[in-house]
Amino acid sequence: MAQTKKMLKIENVSFAYSSFEENENPEILKNFSLEIREGQFLAILGQNGCGKSTLARMLNGVLLPVTGDVYVDEKNTKNEENLLSIRQTVGLVFQNPDNQIVATIVEEDVAFALENLGMPTKEMRERVDETLKAVGMYEYKDHAPHRLSGGQKQRVAIAGVIAMRPKYIVLDEPTAMLDPIGRTEVMQTLEKLRKDFGITIILITHYMEETLNADRIIVMEKGKIALDGTPSEIFPISQNDFDELQNTVENQNRLEFLKKQAEIIRDLGLELPKKLDNRKLHELIRPLISENPILKIENLTHIYGENTPFQKIALSDINIDIEQGEILGIIGHTGSGKSTLIQHFNALLKPTRGKVYVEKEDINKTKETAYKTRFKVGLVFQYPEYQLFEDTVYKDIAFGPKNMGLSNDEIDKRVRETANAVGLDEEILEKSPFDISGGQKRRAAIAGIMAMQPKILVLDEPTAGLDPKGRNKISNLIKSYHNSHNSTIIIVSHNMEEVVNLCTRVIQMTIEN
């Protein structure tokens, strides 16, 4: 009897999302075929919108092909009787952890799937503890997920899937919200699972460096495979070595070959792997005491759930001066309080103790000062897409200026100028914000804040989850806004290269034991 072939197999799959608009039903995957062997580490790259996330959802039956077939160990996902077994075999970690977390306590969330599988309590307890330790979240096992940072939530979501010990794990941008150390830890965890348990890893990422230990890389473009090979075939050289080679007169033949390879990568919206210049980053990390800061944080402490069993000190005695015209980067490990800190800048959160001053005014003095501050300090959240809520993109961008009491002519001018500045075409303004692409949603949300022309613009992880081309667009947009409005920009980011390229000064936050 022939041995059963254990693999994921996609055969001639095409898929298109349904649309409310007639004649608007573009295929996301086009006659797509791929085989993934058991025990393999496959990395998938490609620009936003090329079909990577759609492919991920195909692999465990969340989405079904319009044409073609997907097999998990020879079980067809189109057969409804196979779906429970398939979803136990193929674990899927989504791009946004909020879409995956269901319980009110971290350890209960990780145990959720194990309970549904009927696992004995003793074994489940051991599995939950082991998994939380593997992703560095054991000390948070009794915490409420909604009180965690974005990166911490992501680790919990990964733990919930890893705990089931599936044969295949599909991860859709799992490290997008993690700091560099957190990303490294997650990658090491995945490699350990692969070596110790033979788990097949399918990793979708926009970080080129995360693909270098893979067995195989595929690069997708417009629903098809554009490149397929080993890491050394896809990336024959790093950006650092390429830059150094271009400064020499030797090896001209190799240089020409590498230039062609680099051009192919760039044409696909990607970039060569690159090592960070840590020296430049460390030079940017410095304190500042200013006689006339535009934003001053004085002895700021914030405690969640003070005097309750769930008390958590998020910030402790923080002092910061921020000058007019700075581009300030705020970095630090996941959970160090970065997102909590910036929500104090426009009075979304009130300090447990301490003061926040904008242009020398205590922003929490009255409800009126807090309200006025929100027009001076614009905050773009970690997932800016969640800030969209109106019927059309135009109305969404106009919402802030309208609440400022501006005239209709001024509102219209600001909406159209800002939309143009962020690269949104006129026809998009009349569309629903929920019918445009992910990258367009992000730009629309940023435009809604920029249209108010705040003196201080605060962005929390503005490029997380974007491909290199998308990251460059947002970075250029931030630079352009800074130059045209002489505004103060504050950026929270885990992307150290972005921080080095954009910021004039950096603050590093730490986690207190």
Side-chain angles (χ1 to χ4, degrees):
M1 184 180 290
Q3 188 175 1
T4 303
K5 292 182 179 179
K6 302 292 187 182
M7 67 171 69
L8 299 179
K9 189 173 183 180
I10 300 100
E11 280 189 346
N12 303 318
V13 164
S14 294
F15 181 83
Y17 291 98
S18 58
S19 172
F20 294 109
E21 301 287 337
E22 290 186 17
N23 304 320
E24 282 193 25
N25 203 21
E27 285 188 321
I28 303 299
L29 296 177
K30 302 173 184 178
N31 200 31
F32 189 96
S33 295
L34 177 68
E35 290 186 2
I36 305 169
R37 298 190 315 275
E38 189 175 17
Q40 193 175 55
F41 179 1
L42 172 69
I44 303 177
L45 296 170
Q47 294 186 65
N48 291 103
C50 70
K52 303 186 301 298
S53 295
T54 300
L55 174 62
R57 285 156 176 75
M58 288 275 174
L59 292 174
N60 78 341
V62 173
L63 294 176
L64 300 177
V66 174
T67 60
D69 297 281
V70 177
Y71 297 94
V72 176
D73 294 346
E74 299 192 330
K75 294 178 181 176
N76 195 319
T77 60
K78 285 182 177 177
N79 186 340
E80 193 171 339
E81 294 179 356
N82 292 333
L83 286 180
L84 179 60
S85 172
I86 284 171
R87 286 169 187 164
Q88 291 176 15
T89 305
V90 183
L92 177 57
V93 178
F94 291 107
Q95 198 172 42
N96 184 346
D98 288 329
N99 295 338
Q100 202 155 345
I101 292 174
V102 295
T104 56
I105 301 294
V106 165
E107 65 176 2
E108 290 177 1
D109 193 85
V110 178
F112 180 78
L114 304 181
E115 287 179 318
N116 282 284
L117 292 173
M119 182 174 288
T121 302
K122 185 175 183 294
E123 184 182 350
M124 183 166 58
R125 174 77 271 165
E126 291 172 354
R127 186 80 66 86
V128 169
D129 289 349
E130 180 185 0
T131 306
L132 285 171
K133 287 174 183 176
V135 298
M137 288 299 292
Y138 180 75
E139 63 184 287
Y140 295 92
K141 65 187 178 73
D142 298 322
H143 285 59
H146 74 275
R147 288 282 175 86
L148 300 177
S149 71
Q152 288 171 324
K153 288 179 186 176
Q154 205 147 15
R155 292 190 195 198
V156 173
I158 291 170
V161 172
I162 291 174
M164 292 190 292
R165 298 275 168 77
K167 286 176 59 179
Y168 308 90
I169 296 181
V170 184
L171 303 107
D172 189 359
E173 290 285 334
T175 63
M177 301 304 296
L178 296 179
D179 59 77
I181 291 176
R183 287 203 296 270
T184 300
E185 288 173 350
V186 168
M187 297 306 297
Q188 289 172 344
T189 299
L190 295 178
E191 190 59 34
K192 185 175 186 296
L193 288 167
R194 183 185 172 217
K195 288 180 178 177
D196 293 353
F197 302 102
I199 293 175
T200 305
I201 307 295
I202 299 101
L203 174 70
I204 295 171
T205 182
H206 287 310
Y207 291 105
M208 309 300 116
E209 298 78 11
E210 292 182 351
T211 69
L212 298 182
N213 291 325
D215 300 315
R216 177 186 178 195
I217 298 172
I218 65 169
V219 180
M220 294 179 63
E221 182 185 34
K222 296 179 180 178
K224 296 183 178 181
I225 296 177
L227 296 176
D228 186 347
T230 64
S232 60
E233 289 170 338
I234 303 297
F235 300 119
I237 193 170
S238 71
Q239 186 64 55
N240 308 76
D241 291 340
F242 184 59
D243 292 341
E244 189 174 320
L245 189 62
Q246 288 190 94
N247 294 327
T248 67
V249 292
E250 301 174 2
N251 299 319
Q252 285 301 306
N253 289 337
R254 176 160 173 74
L255 180 58
E256 287 304 313
F257 165 75
L258 292 172
K259 280 183 177 178
K260 289 178 182 176
Q261 291 296 107
E263 194 62 36
I264 290 170
I265 293 296
R266 280 192 287 269
D267 286 346
L268 291 168
L270 306 179
E271 60 190 3
L272 294 173
K274 187 176 182 179
K275 280 187 178 180
L276 176 69
D277 184 350
N278 284 308
R279 177 183 51 81
K280 189 172 180 182
L281 176 62
H282 290 144
E283 287 173 356
L284 290 170
I285 299 174
R286 59 180 184 270
L288 174 75
I289 298 175
S290 174
E291 292 183 3
N292 190 30
I294 188 170
L295 176 60
K296 186 178 183 67
I297 311 300
E298 193 174 84
N299 303 321
L300 175 62
T301 293
H302 191 88
I303 304 173
Y304 288 110
E306 189 175 23
N307 299 322
T308 74
F310 301 103
Q311 176 174 303
K312 179 191 174 187
I313 300 174
L315 301 170
S316 179
D317 201 26
I318 302 290
N319 290 278
I320 304 171
D321 284 1
I322 301 172
E323 287 191 319
Q324 166 65 33
E326 275 198 282
I327 303 182
L328 178 73
I330 301 178
I331 65 173
H333 294 331
T334 300
S336 60
K338 301 182 299 296
S339 295
T340 298
L341 174 65
I342 62 173
Q343 288 180 66
H344 286 82
F345 293 174
N346 70 347
L348 282 179
L349 288 179
K350 287 186 70 173
T352 305
R353 288 182 287 277
K355 301 282 187 181
V356 179
Y357 299 93
V358 172
E359 295 183 320
K360 297 184 177 180
E361 183 174 40
D362 179 356
I363 66 173
N364 294 295
K365 185 170 61 176
T366 65
K367 286 185 178 180
E368 185 182 359
T369 56
Y371 179 75
K372 287 194 304 182
T373 297
R374 288 168 195 153
F375 297 119
K376 296 179 183 178
V377 183
L379 175 57
V380 180
F381 289 104
Q382 235 171 33
Y383 297 105
E385 299 86 341
Y386 290 173
Q387 292 175 240
L388 303 173
F389 63 93
E390 283 280 12
D391 296 336
T392 66
V393 173
Y394 182 100
K395 288 182 181 178
D396 231 305
I397 298 174
F399 182 81
K402 184 178 179 181
N403 279 279
M404 294 172 71
L406 301 178
S407 67
N408 289 336
D409 287 345
E410 179 63 19
I411 291 170
D412 184 72
K413 178 185 174 187
R414 289 198 184 191
V415 169
R416 297 189 186 282
E417 284 182 352
T418 310
N420 181 62
V422 302
L424 295 175
D425 297 332
E426 285 277 330
E427 59 266 24
I428 288 177
L429 291 177
E430 298 310 316
K431 288 189 174 184
S432 165
F434 307 106
D435 286 342
I436 59 179
S437 72
Q440 289 169 335
K441 285 179 183 177
R442 184 161 302 197
R443 280 179 276 157
I446 293 173
I449 300 298
M450 287 183 171
M452 293 188 290
Q453 297 181 3
K455 294 182 178 181
I456 302 171
L457 178 63
V458 187
L459 303 110
D460 193 356
E461 297 285 356
T463 64
L466 296 181
D467 56 55
K469 188 176 180 180
R471 290 200 295 266
N472 288 334
K473 280 183 178 179
I474 296 296
S475 294
N476 290 334
L477 173 60
I478 292 168
K479 288 178 185 175
S480 175
Y481 183 81
H482 176 258
N483 293 336
S484 60
H485 292 80
N486 190 32
S487 57
T488 302
I489 310 285
I490 301 168
I491 301 169
V492 172
S493 182
H494 284 137
N495 187 328
M496 297 302 105
E497 186 179 347
E498 174 181 85
V499 169
V500 167
N501 290 337
L502 277 175
C503 298
T504 55
R505 185 168 69 95
V506 173
I507 291 171
Q508 184 169 18
M509 298 187 68
T510 57
I511 302 174
E512 290 193 0
N513 294 324

Coordinates of all heavy atoms in Angstrom, one line a residue, residues 241-300:
D241 N 26.0 44.7 2.8 CA 27.1 44.2 2.0 C 27.0 44.8 0.5 O 28.0 45.0 -0.1 CB 27.1 42.7 1.9 CG 27.5 42.1 3.3 OD1 28.1 42.8 4.1 OD2 27.2 40.9 3.5
F242 N 25.8 44.9 0.1 CA 25.6 45.5 -1.3 C 26.1 46.9 -1.3 O 26.7 47.3 -2.3 CB 24.1 45.4 -1.6 CG 23.8 45.9 -3.0 CD1 24.3 45.3 -4.1 CD2 22.9 46.9 -3.2 CE1 24.0 45.7 -5.4 CE2 22.6 47.4 -4.5 CZ 23.1 46.8 -5.6
D243 N 25.8 47.7 -0.3 CA 26.2 49.1 -0.2 C 27.8 49.2 -0.2 O 28.4 50.0 -0.9 CB 25.7 49.8 1.0 CG 24.2 50.0 0.9 OD1 23.6 50.0 -0.2 OD2 23.6 50.2 2.0
E244 N 28.4 48.2 0.6 CA 29.8 48.2 0.7 C 30.5 47.8 -0.7 O 31.5 48.4 -1.1 CB 30.2 47.2 1.8 CG 31.7 47.3 2.1 CD 32.1 46.4 3.3 OE1 31.3 46.4 4.2 OE2 33.1 45.7 3.2
L245 N 29.8 46.8 -1.4 CA 30.4 46.4 -2.6 C 30.3 47.4 -3.7 O 31.2 47.5 -4.5 CB 29.6 45.1 -3.1 CG 30.1 44.3 -4.3 CD1 31.5 43.8 -4.0 CD2 29.1 43.2 -4.7
Q246 N 29.3 48.3 -3.6 CA 29.1 49.3 -4.6 C 30.2 50.4 -4.5 O 30.5 51.1 -5.5 CB 27.8 50.0 -4.5 CG 26.6 49.1 -5.0 CD 25.3 49.9 -5.1 OE1 25.0 50.4 -6.2 NE2 24.6 50.0 -4.0
N247 N 30.9 50.5 -3.3 CA 31.9 51.4 -3.1 C 33.3 50.9 -3.5 O 34.3 51.6 -3.4 CB 32.0 51.8 -1.6 CG 30.7 52.6 -1.2 OD1 30.1 53.3 -2.0 ND2 30.3 52.4 0.0
T248 N 33.3 49.7 -4.1 CA 34.6 49.1 -4.5 C 34.7 49.1 -6.0 O 33.6 49.2 -6.7 CB 34.8 47.7 -3.9 OG1 33.9 46.8 -4.5 CG2 34.7 47.7 -2.4
V249 N 35.8 48.9 -6.6 CA 36.0 48.9 -8.0 C 36.2 47.4 -8.5 O 36.3 47.1 -9.7 CB 37.2 49.7 -8.5 CG1 36.9 51.2 -8.3 CG2 38.5 49.3 -7.8
E250 N 36.3 46.5 -7.5 CA 36.5 45.1 -7.8 C 35.2 44.4 -8.0 O 34.1 44.9 -7.6 CB 37.4 44.4 -6.7 CG 38.7 45.1 -6.5 CD 39.4 44.5 -5.3 OE1 38.9 43.6 -4.6 OE2 40.5 44.9 -5.0
N251 N 35.3 43.2 -8.5 CA 34.1 42.3 -8.6 C 33.0 43.0 -9.4 O 31.8 42.9 -9.0 CB 33.6 41.9 -7.3 CG 34.6 41.1 -6.5 OD1 35.3 40.2 -7.0 ND2 34.7 41.4 -5.2
Q252 N 33.3 43.6 -10.5 CA 32.3 44.3 -11.3 C 31.2 43.4 -11.9 O 30.0 43.7 -11.9 CB 32.9 45.1 -12.4 CG 33.6 46.4 -12.0 CD 32.7 47.4 -11.2 OE1 31.6 47.7 -11.8 NE2 33.0 47.7 -10.0
N253 N 31.6 42.2 -12.3 CA 30.7 41.2 -12.8 C 29.6 40.8 -11.8 O 28.4 40.7 -12.0 CB 31.4 40.0 -13.4 CG 32.1 40.3 -14.7 OD1 31.8 41.3 -15.4 ND2 33.2 39.5 -15.0
R254 N 30.2 40.5 -10.6 CA 29.2 40.1 -9.5 C 28.4 41.3 -9.1 O 27.2 41.1 -8.8 CB 30.1 39.7 -8.3 CG 29.2 39.3 -7.1 CD 29.8 38.4 -6.1 NE 29.0 38.3 -4.9 CZ 27.9 37.5 -4.7 NH1 27.5 36.9 -5.8 NH2 27.3 37.4 -3.6
L255 N 28.9 42.5 -9.1 CA 28.1 43.7 -8.8 C 27.0 43.9 -9.7 O 25.8 44.2 -9.3 CB 29.0 44.9 -8.7 CG 28.3 46.2 -8.4 CD1 27.7 46.2 -7.0 CD2 29.3 47.4 -8.4
E256 N 27.2 43.7 -11.0 CA 26.2 43.8 -12.0 C 25.1 42.8 -11.8 O 23.9 43.1 -11.9 CB 26.7 43.7 -13.4 CG 27.6 44.9 -13.9 CD 26.8 46.2 -13.8 OE1 25.6 46.2 -14.3 OE2 27.3 47.2 -13.2
F257 N 25.5 41.6 -11.5 CA 24.5 40.5 -11.2 C 23.7 40.8 -10.0 O 22.4 40.7 -10.0 CB 25.2 39.2 -11.0 CG 24.4 38.1 -10.4 CD1 23.4 37.4 -11.1 CD2 24.5 37.8 -9.0 CE1 22.6 36.4 -10.5 CE2 23.7 36.8 -8.4 CZ 22.8 36.1 -9.2
L258 N 24.3 41.3 -9.0 CA 23.6 41.7 -7.7 C 22.7 42.9 -7.9 O 21.6 42.9 -7.3 CB 24.6 41.9 -6.6 CG 25.4 40.7 -6.1 CD1 26.4 41.1 -5.1 CD2 24.4 39.7 -5.5
K259 N 23.1 43.8 -8.8 CA 22.2 45.0 -9.0 C 20.9 44.5 -9.7 O 19.8 45.0 -9.4 CB 22.9 45.9 -10.0 CG 23.9 46.9 -9.2 CD 24.6 47.8 -10.2 CE 25.5 48.8 -9.5 NZ 26.1 49.7 -10.4
K260 N 21.0 43.5 -10.6 CA 19.8 43.0 -11.3 C 18.9 42.3 -10.3 O 17.7 42.4 -10.3 CB 20.3 42.1 -12.4 CG 20.9 42.8 -13.6 CD 21.3 41.8 -14.7 CE 22.0 42.5 -15.8 NZ 22.5 41.6 -16.9
Q261 N 19.5 41.5 -9.4 CA 18.8 40.8 -8.4 C 18.1 41.8 -7.4 O 16.9 41.6 -7.1 CB 19.7 39.9 -7.6 CG 20.2 38.7 -8.3 CD 19.1 37.8 -8.8 OE1 18.8 37.7 -10.0 NE2 18.5 37.0 -7.9
A262 N 18.8 42.8 -7.0 CA 18.2 43.8 -6.1 C 17.1 44.6 -6.8 O 16.1 44.9 -6.2 CB 19.3 44.8 -5.7
E263 N 17.2 44.8 -8.1 CA 16.2 45.5 -8.9 C 14.9 44.7 -9.0 O 13.8 45.2 -8.9 CB 16.7 45.8 -10.3 CG 15.8 46.8 -11.0 CD 15.8 48.2 -10.4 OE1 16.8 48.6 -9.8 OE2 14.7 48.8 -10.4
I264 N 15.1 43.3 -9.1 CA 13.9 42.4 -9.2 C 13.2 42.5 -7.8 O 11.9 42.6 -7.8 CB 14.4 41.0 -9.4 CG1 14.9 40.9 -10.9 CG2 13.3 40.0 -9.2 CD1 15.6 39.5 -11.2
I265 N 13.9 42.5 -6.7 CA 13.3 42.5 -5.4 C 12.6 43.8 -5.2 O 11.5 43.9 -4.7 CB 14.4 42.4 -4.3 CG1 15.1 41.0 -4.3 CG2 13.9 42.7 -2.9 CD1 14.1 39.9 -4.0
R266 N 13.2 45.0 -5.6 CA 12.6 46.3 -5.4 C 11.3 46.4 -6.3 O 10.3 47.0 -5.9 CB 13.6 47.4 -5.8 CG 14.5 47.7 -4.6 CD 15.3 49.0 -4.8 NE 16.3 48.8 -5.9 CZ 17.5 48.5 -5.6 NH1 17.9 48.2 -4.4 NH2 18.4 48.4 -6.6
D267 N 11.4 45.8 -7.5 CA 10.2 45.9 -8.4 C 9.0 45.1 -7.8 O 7.9 45.4 -8.2 CB 10.5 45.3 -9.8 CG 11.4 46.2 -10.6 OD1 11.5 47.4 -10.3 OD2 12.0 45.7 -11.6
L268 N 9.3 44.2 -7.0 CA 8.2 43.4 -6.3 C 7.8 44.1 -5.0 O 7.0 43.6 -4.2 CB 8.7 42.0 -6.0 CG 8.9 41.1 -7.2 CD1 9.6 39.8 -6.9 CD2 7.5 40.8 -7.8
G269 N 8.3 45.3 -4.7 CA 7.9 46.1 -3.6 C 8.6 45.7 -2.3 O 8.2 46.0 -1.2
L270 N 9.7 44.9 -2.4 CA 10.4 44.4 -1.2 C 11.8 45.1 -1.2 O 12.0 46.1 -1.9 CB 10.6 42.9 -1.3 CG 9.3 42.1 -1.5 CD1 9.6 40.6 -1.6 CD2 8.3 42.4 -0.4
E271 N 12.6 44.6 -0.2 CA 13.9 45.2 -0.1 C 14.9 44.1 0.4 O 14.5 43.1 0.8 CB 13.9 46.3 1.0 CG 13.4 45.9 2.4 CD 13.2 47.0 3.3 OE1 13.3 48.2 2.9 OE2 12.8 46.7 4.5
L272 N 16.2 44.4 0.2 CA 17.2 43.4 0.7 C 17.2 43.4 2.2 O 17.0 44.5 2.8 CB 18.6 43.8 0.1 CG 18.8 43.6 -1.4 CD1 20.1 44.2 -1.8 CD2 18.6 42.2 -1.9
P273 N 17.5 42.3 2.8 CA 17.7 42.3 4.3 C 18.8 43.3 4.7 O 19.8 43.4 4.0 CB 18.1 40.8 4.6 CG 17.7 40.0 3.4 CD 17.8 41.0 2.3
K274 N 18.6 43.9 5.9 CA 19.5 45.0 6.3 C 19.7 44.9 7.8 O 18.8 44.7 8.5 CB 19.0 46.3 5.9 CG 19.9 47.5 6.1 CD 19.3 48.8 5.6 CE 20.3 49.9 5.8 NZ 19.7 51.2 5.2
K275 N 21.0 45.1 8.2 CA 21.3 45.2 9.6 C 21.2 46.6 10.1 O 21.6 47.5 9.3 CB 22.7 44.6 9.9 CG 22.8 43.1 10.0 CD 24.2 42.7 10.4 CE 24.3 41.2 10.6 NZ 25.7 40.8 11.0
L276 N 20.7 46.8 11.3 CA 20.5 48.2 11.8 C 21.9 48.7 12.2 O 22.7 48.0 12.7 CB 19.6 48.1 13.0 CG 19.4 49.5 13.7 CD1 18.6 50.4 12.9 CD2 18.7 49.2 15.1
D277 N 22.0 50.0 12.0 CA 23.2 50.8 12.5 C 22.9 51.2 13.9 O 22.4 52.2 14.2 CB 23.5 52.0 11.6 CG 24.7 52.8 12.0 OD1 25.3 52.4 13.1 OD2 25.1 53.7 11.3
N278 N 23.3 50.3 14.9 CA 23.0 50.5 16.3 C 23.7 51.8 16.8 O 23.2 52.4 17.7 CB 23.5 49.3 17.1 CG 22.5 48.2 17.0 OD1 21.3 48.3 17.2 ND2 23.0 47.0 16.7
R279 N 24.9 52.1 16.3 CA 25.6 53.3 16.7 C 24.8 54.5 16.5 O 24.7 55.4 17.4 CB 26.9 53.3 15.9 CG 27.8 54.6 16.2 CD 29.0 54.6 15.4 NE 28.7 54.5 14.0 CZ 28.2 55.4 13.2 NH1 28.1 56.7 13.7 NH2 28.0 55.2 11.9
K280 N 24.2 54.6 15.3 CA 23.4 55.8 15.0 C 22.1 55.9 16.0 O 21.7 56.9 16.4 CB 22.9 55.8 13.6 CG 22.3 57.1 13.1 CD 22.0 57.1 11.6 CE 21.4 58.4 11.2 NZ 21.1 58.5 9.8
L281 N 21.5 54.7 16.2 CA 20.4 54.7 17.1 C 20.8 55.1 18.5 O 20.1 56.0 19.1 CB 19.8 53.2 17.2 CG 18.6 53.0 18.2 CD1 17.4 53.9 17.8 CD2 18.3 51.5 18.3
H282 N 21.9 54.7 19.0 CA 22.3 55.0 20.4 C 22.6 56.5 20.5 O 22.4 57.2 21.5 CB 23.5 54.2 20.8 CG 23.1 52.8 21.1 ND1 24.0 51.7 20.8 CD2 22.0 52.2 21.6 CE1 23.4 50.6 21.1 NE2 22.2 50.8 21.6
E283 N 23.1 57.1 19.4 CA 23.4 58.5 19.4 C 22.1 59.4 19.5 O 22.2 60.5 20.0 CB 24.2 58.9 18.1 CG 25.6 58.4 18.1 CD 26.3 58.7 16.7 OE1 25.6 59.1 15.8 OE2 27.5 58.4 16.6
L284 N 21.0 58.8 19.0 CA 19.7 59.6 19.0 C 19.1 59.5 20.4 O 18.2 60.3 20.7 CB 18.8 59.0 18.0 CG 19.1 59.3 16.5 CD1 18.2 58.5 15.6 CD2 19.0 60.8 16.2
I285 N 19.4 58.5 21.2 CA 18.8 58.3 22.6 C 19.5 59.3 23.5 O 20.6 59.1 23.9 CB 19.0 56.9 23.1 CG1 18.3 55.9 22.1 CG2 18.4 56.7 24.5 CD1 18.5 54.5 22.4
R286 N 18.8 60.4 23.9 CA 19.3 61.4 24.8 C 18.2 62.1 25.5 O 17.1 62.3 24.9 CB 20.2 62.3 24.0 CG 19.6 63.1 22.9 CD 20.6 64.1 22.2 NE 19.9 64.8 21.2 CZ 19.8 64.5 19.9 NH1 20.3 63.3 19.5 NH2 19.2 65.3 19.0
P287 N 18.4 62.5 26.7 CA 17.4 63.3 27.4 C 17.4 64.8 26.9 O 18.4 65.2 26.3 CB 17.8 63.2 28.9 CG 19.3 63.0 28.8 CD 19.6 62.2 27.5
L288 N 16.4 65.5 27.3 CA 16.3 66.9 26.9 C 15.6 67.7 28.0 O 14.6 67.3 28.5 CB 15.6 67.1 25.6 CG 15.3 68.6 25.2 CD1 16.6 69.2 24.7 CD2 14.2 68.7 24.1
I289 N 16.2 68.8 28.5 CA 15.6 69.7 29.4 C 15.4 71.1 28.7 O 16.4 71.7 28.2 CB 16.4 69.9 30.7 CG1 16.5 68.6 31.4 CG2 15.7 70.9 31.6 CD1 17.3 68.6 32.7
S290 N 14.2 71.5 28.4 CA 13.9 72.7 27.6 C 13.3 73.8 28.5 O 12.4 73.5 29.4 CB 13.0 72.3 26.5 OG 12.6 73.5 25.8
E291 N 13.6 75.0 28.2 CA 13.0 76.1 28.9 C 11.6 76.4 28.4 O 10.8 77.0 29.1 CB 13.9 77.4 28.8 CG 15.2 77.3 29.5 CD 16.0 78.6 29.4 OE1 15.5 79.5 28.8 OE2 17.2 78.6 29.9
N292 N 11.4 76.0 27.2 CA 10.0 76.3 26.6 C 9.5 75.2 25.8 O 9.3 75.3 24.5 CB 10.2 77.6 25.7 CG 8.8 78.1 25.2 OD1 7.8 78.0 25.9 ND2 8.8 78.7 24.0
P293 N 9.3 74.0 26.4 CA 8.8 72.8 25.7 C 7.4 73.0 25.2 O 6.5 73.7 25.9 CB 8.9 71.7 26.7 CG 8.7 72.4 28.0 CD 9.4 73.7 27.8
I294 N 7.0 72.5 24.0 CA 5.6 72.5 23.6 C 4.8 71.5 24.4 O 3.6 71.7 24.6 CB 5.5 72.3 22.0 CG1 4.1 72.5 21.6 CG2 6.0 70.9 21.7 CD1 3.9 72.6 20.1
L295 N 5.4 70.4 24.8 CA 4.8 69.4 25.5 C 5.7 69.0 26.7 O 6.9 68.7 26.5 CB 4.5 68.1 24.7 CG 3.9 66.9 25.3 CD1 2.6 67.2 25.9 CD2 3.8 65.8 24.3
K296 N 5.1 69.0 27.9 CA 5.9 68.7 29.1 C 5.2 67.7 30.0 O 4.0 67.8 30.3 CB 6.2 70.0 30.0 CG 7.1 69.8 31.2 CD 7.3 71.1 31.9 CE 8.3 70.9 33.1 NZ 9.7 70.6 32.6
I297 N 5.9 66.6 30.3 CA 5.4 65.5 31.2 C 6.1 65.7 32.5 O 7.3 65.6 32.5 CB 5.6 64.1 30.6 CG1 5.2 64.1 29.1 CG2 4.9 63.1 31.4 CD1 3.8 64.4 28.9
E298 N 5.4 65.8 33.6 CA 6.0 66.1 34.9 C 5.5 65.0 35.9 O 4.3 65.0 36.3 CB 5.6 67.5 35.3 CG 6.3 68.0 36.5 CD 5.9 69.5 36.8 OE1 4.9 69.7 37.5 OE2 6.6 70.4 36.3
N299 N 6.5 64.2 36.3 CA 6.2 63.2 37.4 C 5.0 62.4 37.1 O 4.2 62.1 38.0 CB 6.1 63.9 38.8 CG 7.3 64.8 39.1 OD1 8.4 64.4 38.8 ND2 7.1 65.9 39.7
L300 N 4.9 61.9 35.9 CA 3.6 61.2 35.5 C 3.7 59.7 35.9 O 4.6 59.0 35.6 CB 3.5 61.2 34.0 CG 2.4 60.4 33.3 CD1 1.0 60.9 33.8 CD2 2.4 60.5 31.8

